[in-house]
Amino acid sequence: MEIPNFMKIFIGLIIIVFMVAIFWATSWRTPIEVANQADKDIKETNDKIADVNRQKAEIPQLEAEIEKLNQELQATIQQELTPESETDFVPSYMADVEKLVEQQRIRMNDPDFIITAMTPEGKSDSQSSPSVLSSYPARSFQMSLTGRYTTVIDFLRQLGALKLKRLVTVSKLTLSGSPNAENYSQSPMLTITMPISVYLRKEGN
C-alpha cells in the first residue's frame, strides 16, 4: 500500500525535528552551558573585584582610625600611669603588688593566695613591645602566684584594669592546678608562672 503524500511529509518533518534535536544536543548544548557558566564566573569575579576595590578604598579611613586610637591610648597611658624615676620603680612596684595581694586575700576570702616569687629581670626589650608602647620605659618581672582560680583570675583582671596605675603586659602563662581536696565545690587551686612587662609613665610628662 502506497503511503499518502501528507504522511510522507509528516514523517519527514518528524525526522527533521529529531535530527535537529540530536544536533542541538550533541553540538550546541555543551557550548551553551559552557558559555552560561563562563558568564556566571565572570559575574562572580567582577563582584569580588568590586568588593576588593571597596575594601581598598576604606584603607585610608581605617589607618586614620588606628592612628587616632593609638593617640588616645598614649594619652590614657600618660594620664593613668604613675610617674616615678626608674631607680625607685622596682621596690615601689613590688611593695604595691604585695599590698594588692593582701587586699585580694581579704576581699576574695582566700588566705592561701600568695606571690611565691617575683624576680626583677631588668629592662624590657622595646622591640618585643607593642609598637604604641615601644617608647615607654618598662621593667620585666618573672612572677609566680598561687591561689584559687577565681582569686587568681580576679587578680589578673585588676592588674589589667590599671589597679596599680601601671600598664602590664603578659607574654605567656604557665598554668598548673589541682582540685581542692577538702571542698570540691570551691574553685581549684591554681599556680601561675608568667613573665610580665610593667610600663612607666615617661618622665617630664
Side-chain angles (χ1 to χ4, degrees):
M1 183 177 70
E2 186 179 355
I3 300 175
N5 289 335
F6 75 90
M7 287 295 294
K8 292 180 180 178
I9 295 172
F10 181 72
I11 293 172
L13 289 174
I14 292 177
I15 293 173
I16 292 172
V17 170
F18 183 70
M19 292 178 65
V20 169
I22 293 175
F23 180 77
W24 177 82
T26 57
S27 301
W28 288 97
R29 183 177 180 181
T30 299
I32 290 174
E33 290 177 348
V34 171
N36 289 338
Q37 183 61 43
D39 289 339
K40 182 179 178 181
D41 292 342
I42 290 173
K43 184 178 182 303
E44 291 178 353
T45 301
N46 288 335
D47 290 342
K48 291 179 180 178
I49 292 174
D51 187 53
V52 170
N53 288 334
R54 184 178 65 255
Q55 294 177 1
K56 183 178 178 180
E58 293 174 353
I59 290 177
Q61 180 182 353
L62 293 174
E63 289 177 340
E65 291 178 358
I66 291 172
E67 179 61 26
K68 180 181 177 181
L69 290 173
N70 283 337
Q71 292 176 359
E72 291 177 353
L73 176 59
Q74 292 197 26
T76 300
I77 292 170
Q78 285 298 96
Q79 292 172 3
E80 294 294 336
L81 297 189
T82 301
E84 60 196 334
S85 67
E86 294 187 33
T87 55
D88 297 334
F89 168 71
V90 171
S92 173
Y93 184 70
M94 294 179 71
D96 288 345
V97 170
E98 284 295 335
K99 291 178 183 178
L100 182 60
V101 168
E102 184 61 32
Q103 294 172 6
Q104 194 76 353
R105 289 195 195 106
I106 298 171
R107 193 168 68 87
M108 300 298 290
N109 191 26
D110 185 2
D112 296 324
F113 178 60
I114 58 172
I115 298 288
T116 57
M118 187 172 177
T119 308
E121 295 186 339
K123 293 185 178 181
S124 293
D125 182 4
S126 60
Q127 295 181 350
S128 64
S129 301
S131 57
V132 71
L133 298 174
S134 59
S135 62
Y136 287 87
R139 287 293 179 272
S140 294
F141 294 86
Q142 188 71 24
M143 181 184 291
S144 297
L145 48 91
T146 299
R148 291 204 308 265
Y149 172 81
T150 51
T151 308
V152 172
I153 295 303
D154 187 74
F155 176 77
L156 294 178
R157 285 174 179 166
Q158 291 196 65
L159 289 182
L162 302 180
K163 179 71 174 181
L164 298 181
K165 298 296 183 181
R166 296 174 179 89
L167 184 65
V168 176
T169 59
V170 179
S171 57
K172 66 178 179 179
L173 291 173
T174 302
L175 305 176
S176 61
S178 61
N180 192 312
E182 297 179 358
N183 188 348
Y184 283 90
S185 65
Q186 290 185 346
S187 298
M189 294 297 292
L190 196 66
T191 297
I192 290 183
T193 300
M194 57 185 182
I196 64 173
S197 294
V198 187
Y199 293 85
L200 293 74
R201 185 175 181 176
K202 293 178 183 177
E203 291 190 69
N205 291 321

